[in-house]
Amino acid sequence: MHYRQTRAEISSSAIQHNAKWVRRKMTGGRLLGVVKADGYGHGVAPAAQALEPLVDGMAAGFMEEALAVRESGYSGPLVILEGCFSSAELTLCCEHQLSPVVHCEQQLQYIEQAHLNVPLWVWLKVDTGMHRLGWSHEQAQQALNRLQSSKNVAGVTLMSHLANADAQHRLNADQKQLFCQLSDTLNGYQARSFHNSAGLLNPDTQWPLNDNDWVRSGLLLYGINPSTVTEVQSQLQPAMRLVAPVIALHQLEKGESVGYGSGWSADKPSVVATVAMGYADGYPRQAINGTPAMVRGQQVGLAGRVSMDMLTIDVTGIDNVQIGDDVELWGPNIDVRQVAACADTISWHLLTGVSGRVPRVSV
Ligand SMILES: *Cc1c(COP(=O)(O)O)cnc(C)c1O
């Protein structure tokens, strides 16, 4: 039972629509559905269950998340993007058929020294310019040789990650060139993976995908265009609709202000609605006045500072707004990318930040 109407509506059919869309964008290759961070905030089980028939594998961030994906019933290929933090985790990888990323010397040693019942498929991460995780291009062949000679390794996918896929940046072409050169010259791997959602869409990082290529897609599957390079948002269906009710209405005289710090003042007689959604629910406190929301089918703007459990919107001139009306904070009608821009952040951050006290309701 939920007494508060505040909720995140999650649409499995939207996730499936988006997965099919991503598949159509791929000229070939295999699709790895990224369900880390509780399925980007949508709930790992609903996300994994929606994606299961449409992807060739899935990816979690770390062991706990991978086990949650298994608990949801998924039994296909499952990659752990940060790899293992201890040798004990390799036993779990065997038990649950998980593919860890190997991005550093320590993780390679765990593999070399393990006594495993079944050899594992591993993903070797090379650093092509992001400098966050991965082996340098000089170290890559040696690492591959060591993996190849380990009885604990069944096969290797060569991977790298883009630092600027969502923008136009000179490093995109550099990273692509280095990865292609590496995949041409290195021996001892069977598959490769370079593209995230934005990388798939960015002309500077694309190539004709073949059977050996895995695309690692997250944000696109949840219906949000990660790219500033292409305009594809209208073809996607946002899978989360964040909704909260109006719980109070106030008439303000010209010059009166609302909320903490009196952050918004009426420049004419106004009506302000208080909505049961605050930063403790994951709505960004940094959101500025005018950040869009929707009530009664009309776009309105945030008025005043977001507080812990509530926010206020200017509904002046909107007919018939009543206590109990649903307000969409983001979703099919209010672009989460716009809300993110108004809060100086990105849509990945907002989706994954919806807190545990907001019920996920499937629609
Ligand atoms: C999260 C993640 C992805 C998915 O990124 P999107 O931008 O959401 O498509 C791909 N690869 C790695 C290594 C990741 O950590």
Side-chain angles (χ1 to χ4, degrees):
M1 179 65 201
H2 296 294
Y3 299 101
R4 193 170 72 144
Q5 230 169 284
T6 301
R7 65 203 181 271
E9 296 177 352
I10 306 300
S11 166
S12 295
S13 66
I15 293 176
Q16 296 192 324
H17 165 91
N18 301 321
K20 288 175 196 160
W21 187 91
V22 172
R23 280 223 166 271
R24 283 198 299 278
K25 279 282 153 193
M26 293 167 55
T27 49
R30 286 172 283 176
L31 176 57
L32 193 74
V34 181
V35 294
K36 64 188 179 190
D38 200 27
Y40 282 43
H42 296 64
V44 67
Q49 284 157 14
L51 290 172
E52 196 269 339
L54 296 164
V55 297
D56 305 289
M58 294 196 207
F62 45 89
M63 180 58 72
E64 287 85 342
E65 290 190 344
L67 295 176
V69 177
R70 285 291 183 241
E71 258 164 50
S72 80
Y74 180 68
S75 58
L78 181 50
V79 179
I80 303 183
L81 291 169
E82 288 182 354
C84 294
F85 301 111
S86 66
S87 56
E89 288 178 47
L90 288 172
T91 313
L92 283 172
C93 285
C94 282
E95 214 175 296
H96 297 276
Q97 293 187 298
L98 308 172
S99 293
V101 163
V102 176
H103 66 75
C104 64
E105 174 64 28
Q106 179 76 80
Q107 290 180 332
L108 180 50
Q109 284 181 17
Y110 290 149
I111 297 215
E112 289 178 316
Q113 291 159 15
H115 301 283
L116 304 179
N117 305 329
V118 226
L120 299 174
W121 196 285
V122 303
W123 286 46
L124 186 77
K125 188 164 195 170
V126 291
D127 178 13
T128 52
M130 184 164 183
H131 304 315
R132 186 181 63 175
L133 289 183
W135 303 80
S136 73
H137 59 95
E138 292 96 345
Q139 297 168 317
Q141 185 60 63
Q142 257 240 307
L144 277 169
N145 294 344
R146 287 167 62 190
L147 287 173
Q148 246 190 323
S149 56
S150 166
K151 61 181 185 338
N152 293 321
V153 176
V156 181
T157 300
L158 188 70
M159 75 177 287
S160 191
H161 195 50
L162 286 157
N164 297 279
D166 60 347
Q168 276 174 311
H169 193 284
R170 57 172 174 75
L171 203 56
N172 285 323
D174 293 351
Q175 285 197 266
K176 172 185 162 178
Q177 195 195 4
L178 180 54
F179 189 73
C180 287
Q181 186 191 322
L182 282 171
S183 54
D184 284 346
T185 52
L186 295 175
N187 306 302
Y189 71 93
Q190 290 74 34
R192 57 181 192 169
S193 177
F194 184 63
H195 303 97
N196 54 4
S197 293
L200 177 69
L201 301 179
N202 190 330
D204 292 342
T205 55
Q206 288 168 333
W207 63 68
L209 297 164
N210 65 41
D211 288 352
N212 289 335
D213 286 313
W214 283 94
V215 171
R216 309 184 301 271
S217 182
L219 197 70
L220 273 176
L221 299 175
Y222 305 100
I224 310 301
N225 175 20
S227 175
T228 49
V229 179
T230 52
E231 197 29 79
V232 296
Q233 188 56 51
S234 61
Q235 298 164 43
L236 300 166
Q237 295 178 4
M240 179 193 291
R241 181 169 176 261
L242 186 64
V243 194
V246 171
I247 60 169
L249 286 160
H250 291 280
Q251 312 275 342
L252 268 62
E253 304 286 343
K254 180 177 172 180
E256 288 183 320
S257 59
V258 61
Y260 286 122
S262 301
W264 183 88
S265 304
D267 59 6
K268 59 177 189 294
S270 300
V271 186
V272 166
T274 304
V275 181
M277 166 65 58
Y279 60 77
D281 298 299
Y283 192 91
R285 187 179 171 280
Q286 294 75 6
I288 57 173
N289 284 329
T291 301
M294 180 165 278
V295 63
R296 296 230 158 223
Q298 307 227 43
Q299 188 172 315
V300 296
L302 190 71
R305 274 195 204 155
V306 176
S307 47
M308 191 184 290
D309 312 309
M310 285 169 270
L311 55 77
T312 38
I313 54 177
D314 177 9
V315 296
T316 311
I318 311 285
D319 282 344
N320 252 328
V321 177
Q322 284 167 24
I323 301 221
D325 279 359
D326 271 341
V327 178
E328 178 177 318
L329 286 318
W330 60 69
N333 304 297
I334 295 296
D335 191 335
V336 68
R337 298 174 309 165
Q338 261 185 40
V339 178
C342 289
D344 196 21
T345 186
I346 54 175
S347 9
W348 293 260
H349 187 189
L350 296 188
L351 295 178
T352 60
V354 175
S355 75
R357 77 176 194 177
V358 176
R360 271 56 167 185
V361 179
S362 77
V363 293

